[in-house]
Amino acid sequence: MIPAMPLPAQPRRWQALWREAIADPHELLALLGLSDRAAELLPPSDTGFALRVPRGFAAKMRHGDPADPLLLQVLPQAAELGEVPGFTRDAVGDLASRAAGGVLHKYEGRALLVATGSCAVHCRYCFRRHFPYAEETAAANRWREAIEHLRGDASIHEVILSGGDPLSLATPKLAELTDALATIPHIRRLRIHTRLPIVLPERVDDECLHWLAGLPFQRVVVLHANHANEIDASVDAACARLREAGATLLNQSVLLAGVNDGAAALAALSERLFAAGVLPYYLHLLDRVQGAAHFDVEPSRAFAIMDALRIRLPGYLVPRLVRETAGAPSKIPAEFDAAMAPRSGIE
Ligand SMILES: *Cc1c(COP(=O)(O)O)cnc(C)c1O
Ligand code: SF4
């Protein structure tokens, strides 16, 4: 049984912080002392994917630096507007693998539930920037269909809550979902893919912890940080609380040109994650999504960066470099995917 949820005495603080997120690129540039560079930094027309960044995340950006690795992840750029061959709207074949309202069942034993389309932050490289969430989220009153799909397939042992960001749902809504999942005997693990503890650590509040700690599943939380500067004391605290609630903490990153495409940046990220009690899991080669080509890193360079990373770090701090390939039965280790690609030297 899941214990009853205590009612919050006042509106949840994280939801207020969510609503106060920066949505105007000019405001963000002004906060960073970059207003006079706006004409050069911002795209000349609408990119179709709005800026959104929580104030706490913006506060971790370096003042006056247009190349700040956190800023580059969220600031709309002119480069998004061009069409680049090979960069498409459904880069990972999600639309082909949906099983029932909001369920993506691509890999054996694991099913991914698109719990919501909302995110606290909008990452410019996101492969879901073109995803038709309005039709495909399980929360759009269609949990019943998703739950029945999971119940009907006894090969599924792990449910992955994804999105969007599943922790953007209010905790009672999540509890509603996990109460239903708890009635399915073959589900043993619940995995949550979330960037919220990084970009809005206040999300990991008492109510969230109480919910997580009471779940009748093994719990895995896969965070998403791309640069060591994203992790500060408030993120440390959120991670400590998640571990207290019994979650194993992992991190996935995306290899992003200009943000973290060097062994020094990635080594610093792994070290900082481990200091927060988080193990690196995947380092994704960029999904070839339209509007994100300027973040792409050539596989040969990626392999060279990984070679340098393996020399610098203990093996358990080296993430697995993967490429998601439409139709493949798992994420493909990038080295296997393109074993013939030559290696080039890096810095
Ligand atoms: C990435 C992904 C998973 C999880 O894969 P792991 O290798 O277990 O981390 C599951 N389902 C879908 C659709 C995915 O994209
Ligand atoms: S799904 Fe993840 S990567 Fe995409 S915008 Fe949301 S937080 Fe960023």
Side-chain angles (χ1 to χ4, degrees), residues 132-193:
Y133 282 113
E135 304 142 49
E136 294 301 332
T137 71
N141 272 334
R142 299 203 294 155
W143 274 351
R144 181 161 296 129
E145 199 186 331
I147 295 291
E148 290 322 310
H149 176 83
L150 299 171
R151 193 189 306 284
D153 186 342
S155 74
I156 298 171
H157 301 304
E158 176 168 334
V159 172
I160 302 168
L161 301 187
S162 180
D165 196 313
L167 291 189
S168 51
L169 293 172
T171 306
K173 190 86 188 158
L174 289 166
E176 211 177 277
L177 172 62
T178 51
D179 284 354
L181 292 176
T183 66
I184 305 175
H186 50 264
I187 295 176
R188 300 195 285 261
R189 285 188 301 275
L190 184 76
R191 193 197 314 183
I192 302 170
H193 282 185

Side-chain angles (χ1 to χ4, degrees), residues 108-262:
E108 199 173 314
R110 294 147 286 172
L112 186 148
L113 197 60
V114 179
T116 170
S118 302
C119 293
V121 66
H122 285 177
C123 311
R124 309 312 299 176
Y125 52 85
C126 182
F127 73 97
R128 293 187 192 280
R129 60 185 288 166
H130 307 292
F131 197 74
Y133 282 113
E135 304 142 49
E136 294 301 332
T137 71
N141 272 334
R142 299 203 294 155
W143 274 351
R144 181 161 296 129
E145 199 186 331
I147 295 291
E148 290 322 310
H149 176 83
L150 299 171
R151 193 189 306 284
D153 186 342
S155 74
I156 298 171
H157 301 304
E158 176 168 334
V159 172
I160 302 168
L161 301 187
S162 180
D165 196 313
L167 291 189
S168 51
L169 293 172
T171 306
K173 190 86 188 158
L174 289 166
E176 211 177 277
L177 172 62
T178 51
D179 284 354
L181 292 176
T183 66
I184 305 175
H186 50 264
I187 295 176
R188 300 195 285 261
R189 285 188 301 275
L190 184 76
R191 193 197 314 183
I192 302 170
H193 282 185
T194 178
R195 191 149 160 69
L196 264 160
I198 305 291
V199 301
L200 192 71
E202 295 84 355
R203 173 62 186 95
V204 188
D205 59 6
D206 291 344
E207 189 186 35
C208 178
L209 283 192
H210 185 79
W211 164 68
L212 200 60
L215 293 177
F217 315 106
Q218 284 197 291
R219 303 168 283 281
V220 181
V221 175
V222 182
L223 304 168
H224 172 182
N226 299 311
H227 194 279
N229 292 2
E230 292 171 45
I231 305 168
D232 64 3
S234 62
V235 174
D236 285 327
C239 291
R241 308 184 97 210
L242 290 170
R243 275 184 287 119
E244 255 168 59
T248 296
L249 300 187
L250 305 173
N251 182 69
Q252 53 185 341
S253 310
V254 182
L255 184 59
L256 298 167
V259 173
N260 59 10
D261 59 333

Side-chain angles (χ1 to χ4, degrees), residues 104 106-107 110 112 160 191 281-282 324 331:
L104 297 179
K106 281 208 240 186
Y107 306 148
R110 294 147 286 172
L112 186 148
I160 302 168
R191 193 197 314 183
Y281 181 38
Y282 282 145
E324 194 151 341
K331 307 252 189 288

Side-chain angles (χ1 to χ4, degrees), residues 43-102:
S45 61
D46 187 11
T47 60
F49 188 51
L51 172 122
R52 168 172 260 288
V53 56
R55 286 173 195 277
F57 191 76
K60 300 174 198 169
M61 297 172 186
R62 286 190 294 256
H63 197 80
D65 181 2
D68 176 83
L70 278 54
L71 177 63
L72 290 179
Q73 294 179 54
V74 303
L75 190 70
Q77 292 186 42
E80 295 176 28
L81 297 169
E83 295 224 355
V84 177
F87 285 74
T88 62
R89 292 175 73 84
D90 180 25
V92 293
D94 273 350
L95 297 183
S97 54
R98 60 192 159 181

